[in-house]
Amino acid sequence: MIRVLLVDDERMVCAHLRAILSRADDLEVVGEAYDGAEAVEAIVRLSPDVVLMDIRMPGVDGLAATERACALPDPPKIIMLTTFDLDEYAVRAMRAGAFGFLLKDTDPEDLAGVVRVAAEGHAVISPAMARRLFSAFAPGEPARRAARALVAGLSERETEVLTCLAEGLSNAGIGGRLFLSETTVKGYVSRLLAKLGCANRTQAALLAYDAGLVSRE
């Protein structure tokens, strides 16, 4: 079972999400929280696999809660909930370690699938949407310099894998382009995340954009 925590200051939204997810046999909603502070406490207490986290909440917002949760020893996969498809908070949350973001008007039929994808450790954002987001909220020069310095320490093959990852390719897609087995690609991705200090593939993709490996245009 995939354990899910719902976080939104509107209880009706939580009830709606719970009703949708409860239809899936492999998903279990283990709790709800109605602000960021409650969310972090619930994450520590309930150990969910996936958290659906609203961005804009009074008091401790979703961004602050995500930063705190991602600093925990074994953080859950956090998906940000937003009503805006180009929201600076979503980018900041992904830099903090969130796995992606989800529009609140997402088709209910797609919601369970999104949770499953995140639980498997994959980013919940399409390459096209990623490019729009990262283009709209480009980093400052210090962040670009830091990203380029990190990427400079990679081998040529590691840089190729990172570029493919930033383009949204799956492990199978990366393997097909670079003529590597999926097992080998998984090894490269794991080493990349450790070497770059990234919590997940989304953070690594952001860093690749910051370093200029992938065009923002």
Side-chain angles (χ1 to χ4, degrees):
M1 294 290 286
I2 298 172
R3 297 165 55 81
V4 184
L5 174 68
L6 308 176
V7 183
D8 197 294
D9 62 316
E10 295 186 30
R11 293 175 184 255
M12 286 295 292
V13 172
C14 286
H16 178 62
L17 293 172
R18 179 183 284 273
I20 294 171
L21 295 177
S22 295
R23 301 172 194 163
D25 294 336
D26 59 336
L27 305 181
E28 178 187 7
V29 177
V30 296
E32 299 177 10
Y34 308 111
D35 65 43
E38 283 186 14
V40 177
E41 292 175 1
I43 288 169
V44 172
R45 177 168 42 88
L46 300 172
S47 299
D49 301 303
V50 177
V51 178
L52 298 181
M53 177 88 72
D54 187 24
I55 291 181
R56 302 188 178 196
M57 295 181 288
V60 178
D61 64 16
L63 175 61
T66 296
E67 290 173 338
R68 295 178 192 177
C70 289
L72 295 172
D74 187 21
K77 279 70 173 179
I78 298 178
I79 304 171
M80 309 307 298
L81 294 173
T82 178
T83 53
F84 305 95
D85 65 353
L86 281 179
D87 194 318
E88 182 178 5
Y89 284 93
V91 176
R92 290 174 59 192
M94 285 188 285
R95 291 189 189 281
F99 271 65
F101 77 102
L102 188 67
L103 297 179
K104 287 188 176 181
D105 62 358
T106 295
D107 191 324
E109 299 301 319
D110 296 333
L111 184 58
V114 167
V115 171
R116 293 187 188 104
V117 168
E120 293 173 358
H122 301 300
V124 184
I125 180 171
S126 70
M129 185 62 74
R131 186 167 281 107
R132 287 179 59 202
L133 272 170
F134 304 161
S135 296
F137 303 107
E141 185 56 33
R144 282 193 288 267
R145 285 198 301 268
R148 287 194 289 264
L150 281 171
V151 170
L154 302 178
S155 69
E156 181 178 353
R157 179 61 88 187
E158 288 171 335
T159 302
E160 290 174 338
V161 172
L162 178 60
T163 301
C164 291
L165 190 156
E167 291 175 357
L169 296 183
S170 64
N171 287 344
I174 296 172
R177 177 180 291 185
L178 301 180
F179 304 103
L180 300 171
S181 70
E182 282 194 59
T183 300
T184 301
V185 172
K186 288 179 182 178
Y188 271 115
V189 172
S190 295
R191 288 193 295 274
L192 275 172
L193 296 183
K195 187 177 285 190
L196 298 174
C198 295
N200 54 54
R201 297 166 73 105
T202 305
Q203 276 193 336
L206 277 163
L207 190 144
Y209 274 89
D210 291 351
L213 295 183
V214 181
S215 172
R216 294 176 179 272
E217 299 304 324

